[in-house]
Amino acid sequence: MTDAILVLNAGSSSLKFALYSDIIVGHDEAVMQTPLLRGKIANIGNAAIFSAYDAKGNVVPPQDHMICEPSATHDTLIPALLEWLQNHGGGATIKAAGHRVVHGGRAHAGPARITNTLMAELEDLVPLAPLHQPHNLAAIRHVAAFTPDLPQIACFDTSFHRTQDRLAQIFALPRALTDQGILRYGFHGLSYEYIAGRLPSYLGQHGGGRVIVAHLGNGASMCALKNRQSVATSMGFTALDGLMMGRRCGALDPGVVLHLLEQKRMSPDEITQLLYRESGLLGVSGISNDMASLEASTAPEAREAIELFCYRAACELAALCAAIGGLDAIVFTAGIGEKSALVRSMIIDRLAWMGVALDPTANEGNQTRINSDASKIVVLVIPTDEESVIARATRQLLHVGNATPAH
Ligand code: ADP
């Protein structure tokens, strides 16, 4: 019987899961980072779709009762998934669950064991991440209901950014509001932690240099790293700030929000819907929030959406250079960053003045190192793996009692 760590990453319409062997920290990293099984339930709330793969990448067949139920919700799927894992988890015994939790507030610079007190604290942060935090917390509650004694660990997307200087974290607002926690928290920290941990294997001793990681998925942000620590990031108080995203607007003049409230008489709920769900690639194109679909479209609106996405990304990347005093390497990651040669080239072309250039063949081939020989800046494509960061932290907190970063 293998002891295993269950990793859950609950989104609004998806649930990613993975089982990692619970071997003691200090063993072979490669073994620790390779899941015994991983999968995803997508499209929750609208005919859920299940997929799972074993350690060798072979498809693990689903069990009809949990997968094909069109009315399945997070509430029904999590207990069903836990039951399914008992039968299809390769005989593994789950010893702990690690969760992605978007917001850990100011207090948590690392993972934390779930207690009633912590749950109450995380509940208070729901208004700061209304689209993500409730699902993360619901997953924790469902696991607790199914297996009350199972240790559970929360791994926060905000934690990685707590190394930032105060200047990078505060807004130019009255001090009283800063003291109340109206700060730039930053997100996608688990992804950045993973990439930071991989840098030495790609950049050697330069891994600790000035690096900007572009996490470009449905949600998108950038993080400026020095010594593999977060110095500045594009997302702020909420996951709305910074880059243009699939459905989110990114950085916006706050005067627009006041205008929508006062002149357009929109309600806060309507504005939330507009900024989180109807803007970004979807809003500008009027076609789709999905980059691959926009690339396949011949509509000028699709092209304009892609161009705005890349223009905003290039401007943000250049701004982040000021926080780290220059740039040695750029890393692209997440769905768009890993797969879209077009987006990477459109962003890098706008930064040619920095002396950065791509090797077109390497870029088209989604190779790991995609800069040209003449480029003064290294450009890498590194697939992210948030689940392995959660597994590592969970194991470590379980066995050692504290969790150090993956690097
Ligand atoms: P999430 O933030 O939901 O985890 P992902 O990291 O999976 O999202 O990224 C999803 C985005 O990646 C979508 O916009 C999708 O179209 C885009 N993407 C995936 N594959 C490709 C591709 N081959 N070309 C262009 N975009 C792609």
Side-chain angles (χ1 to χ4, degrees):
M1 274 282 200
T2 315
D3 288 346
I5 301 286
L6 169 66
V7 172
L8 290 181
N9 180 349
S12 51
S13 63
S14 71
L15 175 68
K16 290 182 194 158
F17 59 90
L19 279 186
Y20 289 81
S21 69
D22 180 29
I23 50 177
I24 306 299
V25 176
H27 278 61
D28 185 348
E29 276 290 327
V31 176
M32 284 166 59
Q33 289 198 3
T34 307
L36 303 168
L37 180 144
R38 76 188 317 165
K40 183 175 182 178
I41 306 172
N43 222 23
I44 298 173
N46 187 21
I49 303 164
F50 178 97
S51 55
Y53 303 89
D54 67 15
K56 293 186 179 130
N58 300 317
V59 172
V60 181
Q63 217 175 15
D64 290 347
H65 76 269
M66 71 165 284
I67 316 310
C68 300
E69 180 61 62
S71 59
T73 62
H74 285 83
D75 291 352
T76 56
L77 281 170
I78 292 177
L81 174 67
L82 292 169
E83 222 169 88
W84 183 87
L85 285 169
Q86 283 178 345
N87 301 320
H88 293 77
T93 307
I94 296 173
K95 290 292 182 184
H99 297 260
R100 178 184 182 190
V101 176
V102 164
H103 218 305
R106 265 189 294 192
H108 297 287
R113 192 153 176 160
I114 296 290
T115 60
N116 289 340
T117 313
L118 178 61
M119 283 301 274
E121 207 184 301
L122 299 180
E123 200 65 60
D124 287 344
L125 295 169
V126 164
L128 304 191
L131 297 189
H132 298 96
Q133 193 89 340
H135 295 291
N136 305 153
L137 301 187
I140 295 171
R141 279 194 215 92
H142 285 306
V143 172
F146 191 82
T147 45
D149 297 327
L150 192 74
Q152 298 201 69
I153 311 292
C155 299
F156 305 107
D157 263 323
T158 47
S159 294
F160 185 70
H161 303 296
R162 300 286 64 78
T163 51
Q164 292 178 1
D165 280 352
R166 178 174 159 85
L167 286 189
Q169 297 195 52
I170 65 176
F171 292 110
L173 286 169
R175 300 188 84 81
L177 290 175
T178 304
D179 294 344
Q180 287 166 27
I182 303 200
L183 296 163
R184 298 179 57 84
Y185 289 98
F187 297 90
H188 287 140
L190 299 170
S191 174
Y192 294 130
E193 184 173 337
Y194 177 79
I195 300 293
R198 303 292 298 143
L199 287 177
S201 58
Y202 296 108
L203 297 174
Q205 58 183 11
H206 301 297
R210 300 159 301 178
V211 179
I212 292 180
V213 184
H215 177 110
L216 308 179
N218 278 315
S221 73
M222 287 184 182
C223 183
L225 304 175
K226 214 169 170 180
N227 296 322
R228 294 190 286 138
Q229 294 195 327
S230 173
V231 175
T233 190
S234 62
M235 278 180 172
F237 180 60
T238 65
L240 256 192
D241 201 3
L243 304 179
M244 175 176 169
M245 303 175 221
R247 293 171 178 272
R248 286 171 254 168
C249 57
L252 183 75
D253 176 352
V256 173
V257 179
L258 298 176
H259 177 82
L260 297 175
L261 272 170
E262 290 166 0
Q263 308 302 322
K264 297 280 182 193
R265 302 275 173 213
M266 288 176 73
S267 69
D269 281 352
E270 287 169 335
I271 296 176
T272 300
Q273 172 73 8
L274 177 82
L275 302 183
Y276 276 96
R277 316 263 336 143
E278 295 167 0
S279 298
L281 292 172
L282 175 64
V284 175
S285 69
I287 295 170
S288 174
N289 65 300
D290 184 80
M291 184 59 84
S293 308
L294 294 180
E295 287 187 19
S297 168
T298 53
E301 294 84 358
R303 186 69 188 187
E304 186 174 69
I306 298 172
E307 279 176 0
L308 183 59
F309 183 93
C310 297
Y311 168 76
R312 289 281 314 117
C315 292
E316 192 73 53
L317 195 149
L320 284 171
C321 290
I324 45 175
L327 191 58
D328 301 309
I330 298 170
V331 178
F332 286 101
T333 193
I336 299 170
E338 292 165 24
K339 306 272 176 47
S340 175
L342 176 71
V343 167
R344 290 191 301 256
S345 71
M346 285 171 66
I347 294 172
I348 297 298
D349 283 353
R350 286 187 174 275
L351 299 168
W353 55 270
M354 285 183 178
V356 60
L358 294 184
D359 173 332
T361 311
N363 184 42
E364 287 296 331
N366 295 325
Q367 290 177 19
T368 303
R369 196 177 180 117
I370 59 171
N371 58 283
S372 70
D373 290 343
S375 180
K376 291 185 190 147
I377 293 164
V378 173
V379 187
L380 300 172
V381 177
I382 305 180
T384 195
D385 186 354
E386 293 151 318
E387 283 76 25
S388 77
V389 174
I390 297 170
R392 185 183 191 284
T394 303
R395 247 186 235 120
Q396 201 162 348
L397 211 58
L398 200 65
H399 297 296
V400 185
N402 64 42
T404 50
H407 58 279

